[in-house]
Amino acid sequence: MEGHQLKMECIKLIPFFQKLDNEEAEQIASLSMMQRYGRGNVVFQAGEQKDHLYLVQNGRVKITRGTEEGNEQLLQVLEAGNILGELALFFQQTHEADGKADTAANIFVISREAFLPFLRDHPEISMKLLQEVSERLHKAETFVHQLYAAQGEMQLATYLLELAEKQKSTSITLPMSKKDMASYLGLNQEQLSRQLGELQNQGWLRQQGHRHIQLLD
């Protein structure tokens, strides 16, 4: 009973499974194992199939990668409550690093081999997990869009500062059309116009016609 309760506590820590009700979580818990590793024991190695989800129940696991110089680079330290390999339950992947127990560790494990047939037999749970995957994908797409926009704005600001330095003035004359300027910065015209508008709204600059920009700060 104690082991089952521990598995249920582990299930509730895993984001993919937090939309499940108690009965569904119980079913997932029945697929899992609690594995014990001594200090220095290998949990997984680079090049092996990544086909398990790992959650450290206690202890510590080091994730390392060998360098070209023959040294060992520490990438991550997993401690109690840390999770590795959720997507391995859905997609075939390969470990790119080594995992080794840095102390004695108990690790909660679910294998893809047991998980995928279970999903085929429980479509209602599959739909909940698909919703979670979709939400993660949406968040990732939003993040990439925001990052791209931020990089574009930084490129634009850097370019304008370079022009100001070259022309020795905060009143800049653009040496090319905005169409060519957008192409030069790796943007399209709409993105350039939007980013110029945002910089103007933030009080950094003022646009004066098609070819003139006044830097305000």
Side-chain angles (χ1 to χ4, degrees):
M1 186 66 182
E2 182 180 350
H4 179 74
Q5 181 61 33
L6 181 58
K7 287 182 178 182
M8 287 296 291
E9 290 173 2
C10 289
I11 284 290
K12 291 175 183 177
L13 291 174
I14 299 172
F16 264 131
F17 301 142
Q18 288 174 359
K19 285 186 170 67
L20 304 182
D21 59 34
N22 283 338
E23 182 179 348
E24 292 166 338
E26 293 261 4
Q27 292 175 304
I28 295 290
S30 69
L31 303 175
S32 66
M33 301 177 290
M34 191 64 71
Q35 296 185 348
R36 292 171 173 80
Y37 294 87
R39 181 181 180 184
N41 286 169
V42 172
V43 180
F44 54 81
Q45 291 181 302
E48 292 180 348
Q49 287 297 311
K50 186 187 289 186
D51 51 11
H52 288 79
L53 174 150
Y54 302 94
L55 184 147
V56 180
Q57 196 267 325
N58 58 46
R60 190 167 61 243
V61 176
K62 281 187 175 181
I63 311 300
T64 61
R65 178 175 57 197
T67 67
E68 292 181 358
E69 295 77 22
N71 299 319
E72 188 176 77
Q73 179 186 9
L74 178 64
L75 301 178
Q76 188 179 6
V77 177
L78 302 178
E79 298 182 303
N82 291 159
I83 300 162
L84 182 72
E86 285 177 290
L87 292 178
L89 294 179
F90 301 90
F91 310 109
Q92 190 166 348
Q93 300 173 314
T94 302
H95 284 289
E96 297 179 355
D98 301 316
K100 184 182 292 185
D102 190 45
T103 65
N106 289 342
I107 301 179
F108 173 87
V109 178
I110 299 177
S111 73
R112 186 170 72 244
E113 184 180 10
F115 186 69
L116 291 183
F118 172 83
L119 287 186
R120 286 194 288 269
D121 294 337
H122 298 81
E124 70 287 354
I125 294 178
S126 298
M127 291 303 296
K128 288 187 177 182
L129 296 182
L130 179 60
Q131 181 183 0
E132 175 67 21
V133 172
S134 299
E135 289 175 3
R136 286 193 176 201
L137 179 60
H138 175 69
K139 289 178 182 177
E141 289 177 338
T142 300
F143 175 76
V144 169
H145 175 74
Q146 291 172 341
L147 182 62
Y148 180 76
Q151 288 176 334
E153 190 171 293
M154 186 179 296
Q155 285 179 305
L156 172 60
T158 300
Y159 176 68
L160 294 177
L161 288 173
E162 288 173 351
L163 285 180
E165 184 177 354
K166 186 175 182 179
Q167 296 178 17
K168 296 181 172 56
S169 173
T170 55
S171 182
I172 300 170
T173 300
L174 299 179
M176 62 185 81
S177 69
K178 287 185 178 177
K179 178 181 179 181
D180 288 341
M181 181 175 162
S183 177
Y184 176 75
L185 294 174
L187 305 170
N188 59 45
Q189 284 185 271
E190 181 183 349
Q191 290 169 329
L192 176 62
S193 296
R194 183 170 61 249
Q195 289 173 10
L196 283 170
E198 289 173 355
L199 290 174
Q200 181 165 280
N201 292 337
Q202 293 166 17
W204 296 104
L205 57 81
R206 180 169 58 246
Q207 299 184 74
Q208 301 172 322
H210 294 295
R211 287 289 188 99
H212 298 284
I213 293 176
Q214 179 71 44
L215 299 187
L216 303 177
D217 193 332

